Amino acid sequence: MRKKKKRTLRRWLIRMLFHLILLCLLAGALGLGVLWLAETHPAPATHQTDAIVVLGAQVYSDGSLSPQLELRMEAALSSYHENPRLIITCGAQGNNEPCPEGEAMRNWLLEKGVPHEHVLAENNSYNTYQNIENAQALLPEDTDTVTLITSDYHLPRSIAISRDAGLKAEGIGSPCKPEYWIKNHTREVLAWGKYLLKQVIPME
């Protein structure tokens, strides 16, 4: 009888584990679908904002921008040409990076002919929340709206965080390289889970 109960319990635990894994897979697939819809149907950018905020990504050890970051910078430069205004480049110095991302991004813009007075580098942020908070501190007091630029998969959450911080933000998403699609979108779905949890249970 005892062995039978153990077998029954084992089968029940296996079924529960199977259903839990299935639920996680379904939730992940749903999250990817919602994220894909959000990033492929953004509100059109007007470029008629007071400032541009560009979120950082990897800088290579030789000082060059990673392809993902260069796509963001090209989007920022295009928006700037539509309406010249202040650009804030965000990002601290990560492992194996020769300088802060914000500084490398600023140098890229200067090399493209953007005047010094139109570019401010924010060099102390390590995540999206810090990007927004630190950039906000650099904005002139009369700033009403910003154009937020990051990769397309990252844009919906970045705009949500910006609006939580009291910024009126429109967004421009640069394309994600196909070979990084699964990795970046999976990480972003998990980041959305953390963001939504934070709305319910405030965390430091």
Side-chain angles (χ1 to χ4, degrees):
M1 179 67 73
R2 187 173 298 174
K3 289 183 178 179
K4 185 177 180 180
K5 286 183 177 180
K6 286 183 177 179
R7 287 197 298 269
T8 301
L9 178 60
R10 189 180 298 114
R11 286 195 295 269
W12 182 83
L13 289 173
I14 291 172
R15 284 198 298 270
M16 289 298 294
L17 180 61
F18 171 78
H19 286 103
L20 181 61
I21 292 172
L22 181 61
L23 181 62
C24 290
L25 289 174
L26 289 173
L30 178 61
L32 282 172
V34 171
L35 178 58
W36 179 80
L37 284 173
E39 72 184 54
T40 54
H41 296 81
T46 66
H47 306 287
Q48 301 306 309
T49 56
D50 300 319
I52 298 169
V53 175
V54 196
L55 306 190
Q58 185 182 9
V59 174
Y60 290 146
S61 58
D62 64 359
S64 62
L65 308 188
S66 61
Q68 204 69 50
L69 183 52
E70 190 153 11
L71 287 169
R72 297 183 188 187
M73 298 310 300
E74 288 170 355
L77 187 62
S78 177
S79 182
Y80 176 82
H81 285 154
E82 289 282 341
N83 173 26
R85 59 212 190 273
L86 178 66
I87 304 175
I88 297 178
T89 55
C90 299
Q93 184 173 357
N95 294 333
N96 301 319
E97 291 182 327
C99 65
E101 294 167 4
E103 181 181 329
M105 296 156 70
R106 180 177 185 272
N107 291 339
W108 188 94
L109 289 168
L110 297 179
E111 290 172 2
K112 301 297 181 182
V114 178
H116 285 74
E117 62 270 18
H118 278 186
V119 190
L120 291 177
E122 183 285 304
N123 297 326
N124 299 304
S125 55
Y126 289 92
N127 57 51
T128 307
Y129 290 93
Q130 292 176 2
N131 286 159
I132 301 304
E133 181 181 0
N134 295 345
Q136 192 173 16
L138 295 177
L139 291 169
E141 290 185 4
D142 59 349
T143 301
D144 185 45
T145 56
V146 299
T147 297
L148 191 64
I149 297 179
T150 186
S151 298
D152 51 11
Y153 64 88
H154 187 221
L155 185 62
R157 186 168 59 93
S158 299
I159 289 180
I161 292 171
S162 298
R163 291 176 177 169
D164 289 345
L167 280 175
K168 296 179 182 177
E170 64 176 39
I172 298 175
S174 62
C176 174
K177 293 180 72 65
E179 59 265 36
Y180 301 128
W181 199 96
I182 292 294
K183 173 186 174 183
N184 289 338
H185 283 75
T186 300
R187 288 174 59 188
E188 189 62 16
V189 167
L190 295 174
W192 265 109
K194 182 178 179 180
Y195 169 83
L196 294 173
L197 182 63
K198 191 173 182 179
Q199 305 307 301
V200 179
I201 308 173
M203 296 176 284
E204 292 296 331

